[in-house]
Amino acid sequence: MHLTILPADTYTVLKKSTISDLDRRLITLLYQPIIGFSAVSLYFTLLDDLEKAEILSETFTHHHLMTSMQLKLEAIIDSREKLEAVGLMKTYLKKSNVNEYAYLIYAPLSASEFLNHPILNIVLYNNVGKKEYDKIVKYFKVPRVSLKDYEEVSKNFNDCFTPVSGSFAFEQEDILERTSNNLHIRSGIDFNLLIESIPKNMVSEKCFNEETLDLIASLAYIYKLDLEVLVSLIRDHLNERGTIDKADLRKSCRNYYQFENSGRLPTVVYKTQPEYLRNPKGDTSKRARLIYSFETTSPYDLLASKCKSGEPAAKDLRLVEELMIDFRLNPGVVNVLIAYVLHINNKKLVKNFVETIAAQWQRLHIETVEDALKLTEKEYKERNKQRYASSRDTKMIVNQKNPTWFDQELVSKEASEEESKEMNQLLKEIG
C-alpha cells in the first residue's frame, strides 16, 4: 500500500528500544551498505527529534524533515520504507484532515545476529565485496581468551548484600528495553495479485496469514522466484484443508531453483564459518587442526569428501540448507553435526534425527565449532554410558572406543599412535 504524504502531515517518534553508541556503529557499518546513507540519516534524524523526551517526541510536520534533511518528500518516504524493510522502524497511520503518523524506532540486530542472518549477511557481502566484508567482520570479531588455567573467583549477590526482611518486589510494566524488530521480506512480490491468482474456493481464510506470507517472501527471495512460478508452486501444495503444505512448498522451491541452476543450491551451502566465530590462529595441536578444518570447510565440501563420486546427494544438501536457514546454525557447527551423525549412525544422515539435534543446538545457542565439539563429546560419552547400562554383553561395550576427536582429554594428554592415526585419517577426510 502506497501512502500519499503531504508536507503538512504530522508525525511523532516513539523509541521502542534502548539504543547505544554501539548500535549507531552497527547501523553505519552493517545497515548503511544495504539501505544507503539517506535512510541512515533519516533514522538518526528521527532519534534526534526525541531530544530530551528520550522515549516519545513532540509532534512535527513532514516539512520539518524536508527542511532539516534537505531532501524531497519522495526521498524521505523511500528512506523510511527501507528502514521498515530491514526492521529498524515501523509506521502507523491515523487518517484525518491532517494525517498523523507514528514512527516506532527499533534497535538494530547485534553484530552476531546480523552476520549470521541467512539473508542480511548475504546481501551485505554482495553489496560491499569480499575485501570490505572481511574488514567489517574483523571489526566486530571478539578476541578469544583461554581461561583454561584460571579459576573463577567472582562473588555472588548474597555474598555482598543482605536481603531486607519484609520487603517485596514491585513488578513494573512498559519499561524501555532493548528490542529488535523482526525482518519482514516481501521481495518485490505483489501479494494481493498472488492471492487473487488462486481461486478462493481452493483456500481457507487462514491460508495466507502473516507467517505464511513471510515464508513465501523468504522462499521467493532465496530462490529468486517470480510471481508466476510462486502461484504455480503454491497451487500444487494446497492441502484438503485449504492451507499450504509448507514443507512440500520448501522442497518444490529448492527443486525448481536446482533445475534452473544446473543442480546447485543457493550459496548458503558453500559458505564457511564466519571469521569472527573462529578460534585464534597459532595453536598447532591436533584438536586445533581439527577445529580449523571444520571452520574452513563448507558443508558442501564436507559432504563431497564423504562421497566416492565427489558429488553430495541432493537430499543431503537440502538437509544442510535447512540446518543453516531454518535452524540458523553456522557452517562450521553444521560440519560438526554432520560428522558426528555420520560417525554414530553408520554413515547415514537421517533427517528427523539430524533435525532433533539441530533443534537442541539452536536452543543452546551453539555458534562455534569448539562449542559444538564439546557438546558432541558430552553426548557421545552419555550415549555410550546408556548403551553400557542397557547391554548384557559388557565385552561389546568395552571394545567400543570413543573417537579421539570427541575426547575432552585430547588437549591435556599426549596422543597414542592409534589416536594419532585416527585423527590424521579424519583430517584427511575433511580437508
Side-chain angles (χ1 to χ4, degrees):
M1 178 176 65
H2 295 285
L3 302 175
T4 301
I5 300 180
L6 301 175
D9 289 340
T10 64
Y11 72 90
T12 54
V13 183
L14 175 62
K15 186 162 66 172
K16 296 292 289 183
S17 170
T18 58
I19 297 174
S20 66
D21 289 339
L22 176 59
D23 289 327
R24 292 174 178 268
R25 191 66 174 155
L26 285 167
I27 289 170
T28 302
L29 289 177
L30 300 180
Y31 286 84
Q32 185 167 295
I34 296 176
I35 62 178
F37 173 78
S38 294
V40 169
S41 178
L42 174 60
Y43 183 88
F44 291 143
T45 300
L46 293 175
L47 284 179
D48 291 340
D49 282 341
L50 290 164
E51 292 185 340
K52 295 180 181 179
E54 285 295 328
I55 297 176
L56 181 65
S57 76
E58 61 178 277
T59 300
F60 297 94
T61 66
H62 283 81
H63 183 267
H64 158 76
L65 276 181
M66 296 168 64
T67 302
S68 61
M69 295 184 67
Q70 288 296 294
L71 289 176
K72 293 182 179 180
L73 190 53
E74 292 78 7
I76 292 174
I77 295 171
D78 179 67
S79 296
R80 190 205 71 204
E81 290 174 349
K82 289 178 180 178
L83 291 171
E84 295 165 354
V86 296
L88 291 174
M89 180 176 169
K90 281 186 178 181
T91 299
Y92 290 83
L93 167 64
K94 180 181 178 181
K95 292 185 177 180
S96 60
N97 291 334
V98 176
N99 289 335
E100 302 173 25
Y101 288 84
Y103 293 149
L104 280 56
I105 305 298
Y106 291 82
L109 298 175
S110 69
S112 176
E113 291 169 329
F114 189 103
L115 293 171
N116 284 287
H117 194 281
I119 293 174
L120 289 175
N121 186 32
I122 293 174
V123 175
L124 176 66
Y125 183 93
N126 290 339
N127 283 12
V128 302
K130 184 179 186 306
K131 185 176 181 181
E132 189 63 28
Y133 177 84
D134 289 342
K135 287 182 180 179
I136 293 172
V137 170
K138 185 178 180 181
Y139 177 86
F140 290 107
K141 189 173 182 179
V142 178
R144 284 187 169 271
V145 179
S146 175
L147 299 177
K148 184 179 65 174
D149 298 326
Y150 290 75
E151 176 186 1
E152 184 177 2
V153 293
S154 307
K155 294 294 184 181
N156 295 319
F157 181 87
N158 58 322
D159 292 330
C160 299
F161 301 97
T162 303
V164 180
S165 60
S167 63
F168 61 94
F170 293 93
E171 292 186 3
Q172 303 293 348
E173 298 181 353
D174 301 325
I175 301 299
L176 187 66
E177 60 182 352
R178 178 176 174 82
T179 305
S180 296
N181 186 26
N182 291 330
L183 179 70
H184 295 284
I185 298 170
R186 287 292 179 263
S187 62
I189 297 297
D190 185 337
F191 279 85
N192 291 328
L193 182 57
L194 183 147
I195 294 171
E196 291 172 0
S197 300
I198 299 175
K200 292 184 179 180
N201 62 345
M202 295 180 64
V203 298
S204 69
E205 293 182 0
K206 298 180 179 179
C207 179
F208 294 106
N209 55 30
E210 185 177 357
E211 179 184 354
T212 301
L213 291 178
D214 283 342
L215 171 64
I216 294 172
S218 295
L219 293 174
Y221 187 90
I222 294 170
Y223 298 112
K224 301 178 182 178
L225 306 175
D226 59 26
L227 180 63
E228 182 180 354
V229 172
L230 275 175
V231 170
S232 176
L233 292 173
I234 290 170
R235 292 185 64 164
D236 289 342
H237 296 293
L238 289 169
N239 55 35
E240 64 279 1
R241 297 187 301 276
T243 58
I244 297 171
D245 189 317
K246 296 183 178 65
D248 285 345
L249 180 61
R250 287 175 182 272
K251 292 177 184 177
S252 290
C253 290
R254 292 189 192 103
N255 291 340
Y256 179 86
Y257 183 93
Q258 284 184 287
F259 180 79
E260 294 292 320
N261 293 272
S262 303
R264 292 176 68 87
L265 283 169
T267 55
V268 67
V269 297
Y270 304 100
K271 293 175 67 68
T272 58
Q273 184 76 352
E275 283 284 348
Y276 76 101
L277 289 174
R278 296 185 185 183
N279 270 12
K281 296 180 180 179
D283 189 349
T284 58
S285 66
K286 291 180 174 63
R287 185 184 183 87
R289 289 167 52 205
L290 175 67
I291 291 174
Y292 179 78
S293 294
F294 279 132
E295 291 174 339
T296 56
T297 301
S298 71
Y300 178 91
D301 289 333
L302 176 68
L303 282 173
S305 71
K306 306 293 184 182
C307 303
K308 291 182 180 179
S309 65
E311 183 64 32
K315 66 181 183 65
D316 290 342
L317 289 176
R318 287 195 296 268
L319 178 57
V320 166
E321 184 197 10
E322 287 182 9
L323 296 179
M324 298 178 71
I325 294 177
D326 297 348
F327 293 92
R328 302 286 179 88
L329 296 184
N330 294 318
V333 174
V334 170
N335 285 340
V336 176
L337 196 160
I338 291 171
Y340 176 62
V341 172
L342 289 176
H343 186 87
I344 66 173
N345 203 39
N346 195 27
K347 305 297 182 182
K348 293 182 293 185
L349 289 178
V350 180
K351 187 174 187 291
N352 290 342
F353 180 53
V354 172
E355 289 183 343
T356 299
I357 299 176
Q360 178 201 24
W361 289 17
Q362 184 186 39
R363 289 191 296 270
L364 294 174
H365 302 291
I366 303 300
E367 294 187 331
T368 67
V369 170
E370 187 169 19
D371 289 343
L373 282 175
K374 287 179 180 178
L375 188 58
T376 51
E377 291 163 356
K378 180 180 178 182
E379 295 287 343
Y380 192 86
K381 289 181 179 180
E382 182 62 30
R383 179 186 178 89
N384 274 354
K385 285 180 182 178
Q386 292 176 358
R387 293 175 68 180
Y388 180 85
S390 62
S391 176
R392 295 179 181 178
D393 187 358
T394 56
K395 289 184 179 179
M396 180 184 71
I397 300 299
V398 169
N399 289 332
Q400 288 182 350
K401 294 183 179 179
N402 195 351
T404 306
W405 57 295
F406 289 127
D407 189 351
Q408 287 180 322
E409 297 179 357
L410 176 66
V411 177
S412 60
K413 70 183 182 68
E414 190 70 27
S416 66
E417 182 178 348
E418 184 179 354
E419 290 169 336
S420 296
K421 183 178 179 180
E422 184 179 358
M423 173 64 73
N424 291 333
Q425 179 60 33
L426 181 68
L427 292 173
K428 182 178 179 182
E429 292 177 2
I430 296 174

